[in-house]
């Protein structure tokens, strides 16, 4: 619920240390807005001050207490000080806060100092009714629009503290909040309470020289700066207010940056943990993989892969691609990979496995139009043959010893998962040979452009590229690294789609 703006009143010139000849303004009609202005006549001018038609330098001051009523600034004898006096009067805490605000942004009103800044709002928490802050020179500073709120205790301060407050001037001599003994013994209990109440606001601690150790301790606890009541001057206050506001802004920005970095590191650890660890213990195969998500600054995309060896010695490999590139697609890819591993260890393969994965996809996807392509290969324990199932996915590349690299047959390619409710995926038996390299990949590898035109690399271009690399004697990790580098070079930069590539090698020495 918005906090109502308290009523305001004009601070007569005499209260600010100006000549007492100025009479209070009485020309405001009934029902006019509550913001009031005071003309900036030179010091020493007598008689009524008239407001020109166009005023270039004005001060708007809103001095209120927590009740919304104008605060009466009485002198030591209890009389009202709105009348003329023979000399300057001691400023109250509210007037001191007004001076602080004018100093904090006063340079904006000086000629040649740039455009005027927006209005400052200061909350002064100070319970000295006599207004002992002695800062007469501050009231002669440059004029600036200022909003000042005053509170005599923490209860009033909590009511007046809103998001538009820029800085808090806190008297450390205020009594500790609450009846708790622990807080009563803490000299900075009032500061700790304000910092909990206003964690996003700049705080200036006000203390006396007799309590010199309390100021640095206040900064250690969380205040932006501290001031000695008896040593205040315009220069010191100007520096302190500016420093407090800017340091708070810098601290907030640094904290946001640190939190962002921590979140990024946590996300990176999470995404790395979701990438698979191949389970090939005991298999006479070499494994290599490359993975690059298309999302900027992400570690996980919609592509997924996995490789495991079951108890009968069969090696199962899988690679898939969820349509789309966002975090939802990445999460769905992880779910499908984990489900594939569990179903594989349970003994499912071929059509039975893919039908179950489709049910998982249909239940986990966020939209009925989301689908996933998949390629599964189960390699026999002797390593010479394999079963191949394709669900709308590009066919793997096989490089047999003594033969050129080529694609495995893909005539019986079934539909992608999630497209047809009663789909079937035939399992084709293929011969691998004695020594071979089998490469599974997602379409991000083959959809990169060639040069500046719209021509794509395609499967034929990829086969030709791999043949050339194999001819150079590259195998395993070196082959995948060179292939990814050359594909990016042909594309003229990073690929926009997710890319996953998996390579299994079986090299049997030739016997004489």
């Amino acid at each position: 619920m918005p906090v109502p703006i308290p009523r305001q009143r004009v601070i007569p010139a005499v209260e600010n240390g100006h000549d007492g000849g100025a009479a209070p303004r009485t020309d405001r009609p009934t029902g006019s807005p509550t913001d009031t202005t005071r003309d900036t006549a030179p010091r020493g001018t007598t008689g009524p001050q008239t407001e020109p038609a166009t005023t270039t330098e004005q001060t708007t001051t809103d001095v209120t207490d927590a009740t919304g009523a104008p605060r009466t600034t009485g002198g030591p004898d209890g009389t009202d000080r709105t009348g003329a006096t023979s000399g300057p009067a001691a400023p109250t805490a509210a007037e001191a806060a007004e001076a602080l605000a004018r100093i904090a942004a006063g340079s904006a009103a000086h000629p040649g100092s740039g455009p005027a800044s927006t209005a400052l709002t200061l909350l002064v928490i100070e319970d000295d009714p006599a207004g002992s802050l002695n800062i007469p020179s501050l009231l002669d500073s440059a004029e600036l629009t200022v909003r000042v709120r005053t509170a005599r205790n923490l209860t009033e301060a909590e009511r007046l503290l809103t998001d538009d407050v820029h800085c808090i001037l806190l008297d450390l001599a205020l009594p500790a909040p609450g009846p708790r003994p622990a807080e009563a013994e803490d000299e900075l209990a009032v500061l700790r309470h304000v910092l909990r109440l206003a964690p996003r606001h700049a705080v200036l601690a006000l203390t006396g020289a007799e309590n010199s150790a309390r100021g640095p301790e206040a900064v250690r606890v969380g205040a932006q700066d501290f001031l000695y009541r008896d040593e205040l001057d315009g220069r010191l206050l100007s520096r302190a207010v500016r420093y407090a506001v800017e340091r708070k802004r810098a601290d907030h920005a640094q904290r946001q940056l640190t939190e962002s970095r921590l979140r990024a590191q946590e996300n990176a650890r999470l995404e790395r943990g979701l990438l698979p660890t191949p389970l090939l213990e005991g298999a006479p195969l070499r494994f290599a993989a490359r993975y690059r998500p298309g999302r900027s600054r992400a570690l996980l995309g919609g592509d997924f892969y996995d490789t495991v060896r079951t108890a009968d010695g069969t090696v199962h490999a899988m690679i898939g691609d969820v349509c789309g590139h966002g975090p939802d697609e990445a999460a769905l890819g992880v779910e499908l990979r984990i489900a594939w591993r569990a179903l594989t260890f349970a003994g499912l393969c071929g059509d039975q496995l893919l039908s179950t994965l489709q049910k998982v996809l249909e239940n986990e996807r966020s939209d009925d139009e989301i689908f996933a392509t998949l390629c599964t290969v189960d390699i026999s324990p002797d390593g010479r043959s394999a079963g191949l199932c394709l669900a709308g996915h590009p066919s793997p590349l096989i490089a047999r010893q003594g033969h050129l690299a080529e694609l495995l047959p893909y005539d019986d390619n079934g539909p992608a998962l999630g497209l047809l409710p009663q789909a079937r995926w035939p399992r084709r038996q293929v011969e691998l040979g004695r020594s071979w390299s089998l490469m599974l990949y997602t379409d991000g590898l083959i959809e990169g452009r060639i040069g500046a035109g719209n021509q794509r690399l395609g499967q034929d271009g990829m086969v030709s590229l791999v043949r050339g690399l194999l001819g150079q004697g590259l195998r395993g990790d070196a082959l995948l690294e060179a292939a990814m580098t050359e594909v990016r070079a042909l594309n003229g930069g990073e690929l926009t789609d997710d890319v996953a590539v998996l390579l299994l090698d079986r090299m049997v020495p030739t016997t004489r």
Side-chain angles (χ1 to χ4, degrees), residues 387-411:
L388 172 66
C389 286
L390 297 174
H393 199 87
S395 182
L397 180 147
I398 181 78
R400 301 180 180 91
Q401 190 174 28
H403 298 79
L404 291 176
E406 60 181 351
L407 298 176
L408 287 177
Y410 50 87
D411 297 337

Side-chain angles (χ1 to χ4, degrees), residues 340-355:
W340 176 87
R341 177 175 283 200
L343 294 171
T344 298
F345 280 126
L348 277 66
C349 67
D351 179 75
Q352 188 179 12
L353 186 149
L354 292 176
S355 297

Side-chain angles (χ1 to χ4, degrees), residues 30-378:
T30 303
S32 60
T34 56
D35 286 346
T36 57
T37 61
R38 183 181 72 248
D39 299 335
T40 57
R43 296 196 56 172
T45 304
T46 58
Q49 298 178 2
T50 58
E51 183 174 356
T54 303
T55 315
T56 58
E57 289 184 317
Q58 290 181 333
T59 299
T60 301
T61 43
D62 305 334
V63 183
T64 63
D65 59 17
T67 64
R71 178 174 173 179
T72 302
T73 54
D77 58 352
T79 59
D80 183 61
R81 291 191 310 170
T82 56
T85 62
S86 59
T92 65
E95 294 160 15
E98 177 195 4
L100 284 174
R102 292 164 59 187
I103 288 174
S107 59
H110 286 295
S113 63
S117 61
T118 57
L120 282 174
T121 301
L122 292 180
L123 176 61
V124 182
I125 310 177
E126 204 263 348
D127 67 346
D128 185 359
S132 60
L133 295 179
N134 185 18
I135 47 174
S137 61
L138 298 181
L139 300 178
D140 295 329
S141 302
E143 305 290 345
L144 186 70
T145 303
V146 175
R147 184 182 298 274
V148 176
R149 298 174 185 173
T150 62
R152 296 180 179 86
N153 53 55
L154 297 178
T155 302
E156 292 183 4
E158 187 170 358
R159 294 172 56 189
L160 294 176
L161 182 63
T162 55
D163 289 339
D164 60 337
V165 172
H166 295 83
C167 188
I168 298 173
L169 180 63
L170 173 66
D171 186 1
L172 297 182
L174 284 173
R180 289 172 287 182
E183 287 194 346
E185 296 174 1
D186 185 2
E187 292 185 345
L188 297 178
V190 63
L191 174 61
R192 298 180 197 276
H193 183 85
V194 169
L195 292 175
R196 289 192 298 267
L197 187 67
R200 299 174 62 89
H201 293 76
V203 177
L204 277 174
L206 188 63
T207 185
E210 67 278 6
N211 297 316
S212 59
R214 190 182 294 180
E217 183 67 12
V219 174
R220 189 191 67 80
V221 168
Q224 274 60 60
D225 205 348
F226 69 93
L227 300 168
Y228 292 132
R229 179 187 299 270
D230 299 331
E231 298 180 1
L232 293 182
D233 58 48
R235 219 165 153 190
L236 177 63
L237 288 172
S238 176
R239 181 206 65 83
V241 173
R242 293 173 187 273
Y243 177 75
V245 173
E246 293 305 321
R247 180 181 175 185
K248 189 64 179 181
R249 289 173 181 169
D251 289 346
H252 180 64
Q254 182 63 40
R255 184 167 56 254
Q256 287 183 318
L257 178 61
T258 301
E259 291 174 354
S260 177
R261 287 175 177 171
L262 290 175
R263 283 194 300 268
Q265 293 172 2
E266 183 177 349
N267 291 340
R269 288 193 298 270
L270 174 62
E271 292 184 10
R272 277 194 295 269
L274 294 176
L275 291 174
T277 300
L279 302 178
L280 293 174
E281 184 177 358
L285 302 176
R286 292 188 304 177
F287 171 89
R290 289 293 182 274
Y291 190 94
R292 195 197 66 80
R295 287 188 297 138
S296 175
R297 291 186 287 182
L299 295 178
L300 200 64
D303 291 2
F304 54 99
Y305 67 90
D306 204 352
T307 307
V308 298
R309 181 175 184 264
T310 52
D312 62 355
T314 302
V315 172
H316 302 263
M318 172 271 292
I319 196 165
D321 182 3
V322 177
C323 67
H325 309 286
D328 292 337
E329 289 76 13
L332 182 57
V334 172
E335 291 181 83
L336 292 175
R337 180 187 68 78
I338 295 174
W340 176 87
R341 177 175 283 200
L343 294 171
T344 298
F345 280 126
L348 277 66
C349 67
D351 179 75
Q352 188 179 12
L353 186 149
L354 292 176
S355 297
T356 307
L357 281 180
Q358 174 159 278
K359 293 179 181 178
V360 174
L361 172 67
E362 290 171 346
N363 285 281
E364 297 297 330
R365 63 186 175 184
S366 58
D367 191 293
D368 289 343
E369 296 185 357
I370 292 178
F371 63 89
T373 65
L374 198 70
C375 168
T376 67
V377 176
D378 53 279

Side-chain angles (χ1 to χ4, degrees), residues 466-488:
V466 172
R467 285 176 178 175
L469 297 176
L470 289 171
Q472 299 174 26
L474 299 178
R475 297 290 187 275
D477 284 305
L479 174 64
L480 293 189
E481 190 64 35
M484 293 286 287
T485 300
E486 191 161 339
V487 169
R488 286 195 297 266

